[in-house]
Amino acid sequence: MAFFFSEVSHTFNEYLLVPGYSSEKCVPDAVSLETPLVRFKRGEESAIKLKTPLVSAIMQSVSGEKLAIALAQEGGISFIYGSQSIENEAKMVATVKKHKAGFVVSDSNLKPTDTLADVIALKEQNGHSTIAITEDGTATGKLLGIVTDRDYRISRMTEDTVISEFMTPFEKLITAPEGTTLKIANDIIWDHKLNSLPIIDKDNNLVYFVFRKDYDQHKKNPLELLDDKKRYMVGAGVNTRDYAERIPALVEAGADVLCIDSSEGFSEWQRRTLLWVREKYGNTVKIGAGNVVDREGFRFLADNGADFVKVGIGGGSICITRETKGIGRGQATALIDVCRARDEYYEETGIYVPVCSDGGIVHDHHITLALAMGADFIMLGRYFARFDESPAPKVNLGGTLMKEYWGEGSNRARNWQRYDLGGQKKLAFEEGVDSYVPYAGKLSDNVRMTFYKVRSTMCNCGALSIPELQKNARLTLVSQASITEGGAHDVVLHTKKAA
């Protein structure tokens, strides 16, 4: 006879936090959301710490390079989706790493014989207003000039105007020699009121740009997640089929952390992938695994070298795994069980393996609940799919702006590797849907509001850090009547402002 779990499987919506004592020090601005991303030993610190406990889902409709940059600016990290060619995924990773290197390799370059039409097209393609004009039109060619928005007026010039006629020529540029430090480069920018500073070698070949906006951006984003070279940190998804080819390419491109993207992680395929990474790279390459929903699944992945473990099967808004296969567990119950296993593992081995809660987040307060239940960080898909920076197109449906959002198990994504059980190389049936989510604007505006709510709730619980929240939080199950009572009720809501 099958084993039956005695506890009912619960969701986040069935819990509430009970307030605790809030001292005068408990103000939202004093709350730290720093949290470990990868495993560490007792007495040591995690090699990677998030400034905010959010990571983006490994999905085509969520985690491209633009969202990775925007999330790193807010202290979180994205996992670039792996359901694409190895070359494309590695290129996305490299794009993120180059974006904030301080010294940026130019990706907008033209020749002096090109035209204004080429300038306009390149700006539309890359979104960059500074274009290097080199002898051969490459990022490392002999620098002959620069074109910015100040060098041309579309309304006063014809598109066949040759660039050499309106560019700022080399002799009028302020440059710096190769080997200039970032501090000196920024001093030159400020002293000469520049927007960019070309770094050139002894033969006047362009090597890098240093941009004023990078310095300004850091001041606007104090929680930026940067590596030791001041570049944005980025993760990447891998599968259990082509990992031997994909992982080296992603490591070479600069990925800071990897994650096995699979609907179910308690498998021989994930064990083999983890062991291959440890054999080839030791502990230098960080890789998470999952997903699991119980103690046994956690210990299996932790014992096989996972740097973090993802929890959740069937709880995502676009996931229909529970419907199609009848497997999974309520996200809150699964998370509590796995976090208890993590703490037991830490006591036994002295190794702390962070837990990522993946799925089941509907409201902002569910993030706080997940953290209180033991999650070290949260992986979100639908939440990020709504923003400008997600790769999905924006559409107008009946006058309402929406973003397209599809699951990796949908026919649109056809990410068969994510659901692979060692069988045929195809997606035999769907485990995800193709949908829309309401457009919500910029990532930064939304994430900052979300975390103001999280910090505020943590203060209500008397906690100034995530470990304090996990230690001091008090949780209560609620009835359906309590859930109804918690919303607006027994009133007539205003539908429009009074004239």
Side-chain angles (χ1 to χ4, degrees), residues 334-400:
L335 180 61
I336 292 168
D337 194 11
V338 170
C339 289
R340 283 174 179 159
R342 174 205 58 203
D343 294 343
E344 291 172 4
Y345 193 82
Y346 182 55
E347 288 300 315
E348 292 174 17
T349 67
I351 298 173
Y352 189 93
V353 181
V355 168
C356 170
S357 181
D358 177 18
I361 302 294
V362 179
H363 306 293
D364 285 348
H365 75 269
H366 289 168
I367 295 174
T368 321
L369 284 168
L371 294 172
M373 290 172 183
D376 295 282
F377 54 96
I378 319 297
M379 178 172 278
L380 299 174
R382 180 194 60 86
Y383 178 89
F384 288 118
R386 304 172 301 148
F387 303 149
D388 283 322
E389 296 86 352
S390 77
K394 184 166 46 178
V395 296
N396 189 319
L397 294 181
T400 301

Side-chain angles (χ1 to χ4, degrees), residues 45-338:
E45 290 192 349
S46 176
I48 305 175
K49 288 185 177 180
L50 302 176
K51 302 290 185 63
T52 50
L54 285 191
V55 303
S56 67
I58 310 169
M59 300 175 67
Q60 294 176 8
S61 55
V62 177
S63 294
E65 61 264 63
K66 289 183 179 179
L67 191 125
I69 291 166
L71 183 52
Q73 289 172 348
E74 300 302 321
I77 198 167
S78 287
F79 286 89
I80 301 295
Y81 66 91
S83 51
Q84 58 178 319
S85 72
I86 295 172
E87 294 74 20
N88 285 348
E89 186 180 10
K91 184 178 179 181
M92 284 188 176
V93 168
T95 297
V96 178
K97 299 305 292 185
K98 290 176 183 177
H99 184 84
K100 180 69 178 184
F103 296 99
V104 180
V105 176
S106 177
D107 64 356
S108 292
N109 312 286
L110 291 171
K111 300 188 295 293
T113 53
D114 291 325
T115 65
L116 177 59
D118 296 311
V119 170
I120 296 169
L122 188 58
K123 183 179 178 183
E124 289 179 354
Q125 176 184 322
N126 292 341
H128 299 157
S129 58
T130 299
I131 299 175
I133 309 304
T134 60
E135 195 169 62
D136 59 2
T138 69
T140 56
K142 186 174 182 179
L143 184 64
L144 301 180
I146 286 179
V147 169
T148 70
D149 288 342
R150 293 175 297 180
D151 292 311
Y152 61 89
R153 289 290 180 272
I154 297 175
S155 60
R156 298 184 180 183
M157 300 165 62
T158 60
E159 291 193 1
D160 60 357
T161 304
V162 178
I163 287 175
S164 59
E165 295 181 15
F166 61 87
M167 70 180 186
T168 300
F170 180 82
E171 55 269 21
K172 292 186 178 181
L173 297 177
I174 295 173
T175 63
E178 188 175 13
T180 301
T181 66
L182 187 59
K183 182 181 184 305
I184 291 176
N186 280 319
D187 287 343
I188 294 172
I189 287 173
W190 284 97
D191 290 344
H192 294 275
K193 299 179 180 180
L194 306 174
N195 287 322
S196 64
L197 176 69
I199 307 295
I200 58 175
D201 67 15
K202 58 182 177 60
D203 297 318
N204 288 354
N205 294 313
L206 179 63
V207 182
Y208 301 112
F209 271 111
V210 177
F211 291 97
R212 172 193 289 264
K213 67 179 177 61
D214 283 348
Y215 180 86
D216 294 340
Q217 195 77 5
H218 178 65
K219 294 301 180 183
K220 293 177 183 177
N221 303 307
L223 295 177
E224 283 182 324
L225 193 65
L226 305 175
D227 65 16
D228 56 3
K229 296 180 180 178
K230 305 299 182 184
R231 302 174 300 181
Y232 286 132
M233 300 192 80
V234 61
V238 300
N239 62 67
T240 59
R241 281 279 185 159
D242 66 7
Y243 58 85
E245 294 79 36
R246 188 174 294 268
I247 289 177
L250 296 174
V251 171
E252 177 68 22
D256 297 283
V257 59
L258 307 173
C259 185
I260 302 173
D261 183 26
S262 175
S263 64
E264 202 277 305
F266 196 175
S267 74
E268 173 64 14
W269 315 112
Q270 292 220 5
R271 187 186 76 85
R272 292 181 185 180
T273 305
L274 291 169
L275 293 180
W276 182 88
V277 169
R278 294 295 166 242
E279 182 179 351
K280 182 173 178 63
Y281 295 103
N283 293 320
T284 59
V285 168
K286 308 301 181 184
I287 182 167
N291 288 16
V292 298
V293 292
D294 61 7
R295 177 180 182 278
E296 288 74 17
F298 170 84
R299 293 190 73 97
F300 173 80
L301 293 176
D303 285 340
N304 282 291
D307 281 297
F308 63 84
V309 173
K310 286 205 295 140
V311 179
I313 293 177
S317 60
I318 43 70
C319 184
I320 54 173
T321 294
R322 295 181 193 174
E323 292 180 36
T324 58
K325 297 175 73 172
I327 64 169
R329 199 177 189 188
Q331 186 66 12
T333 300
L335 180 61
I336 292 168
D337 194 11
V338 170

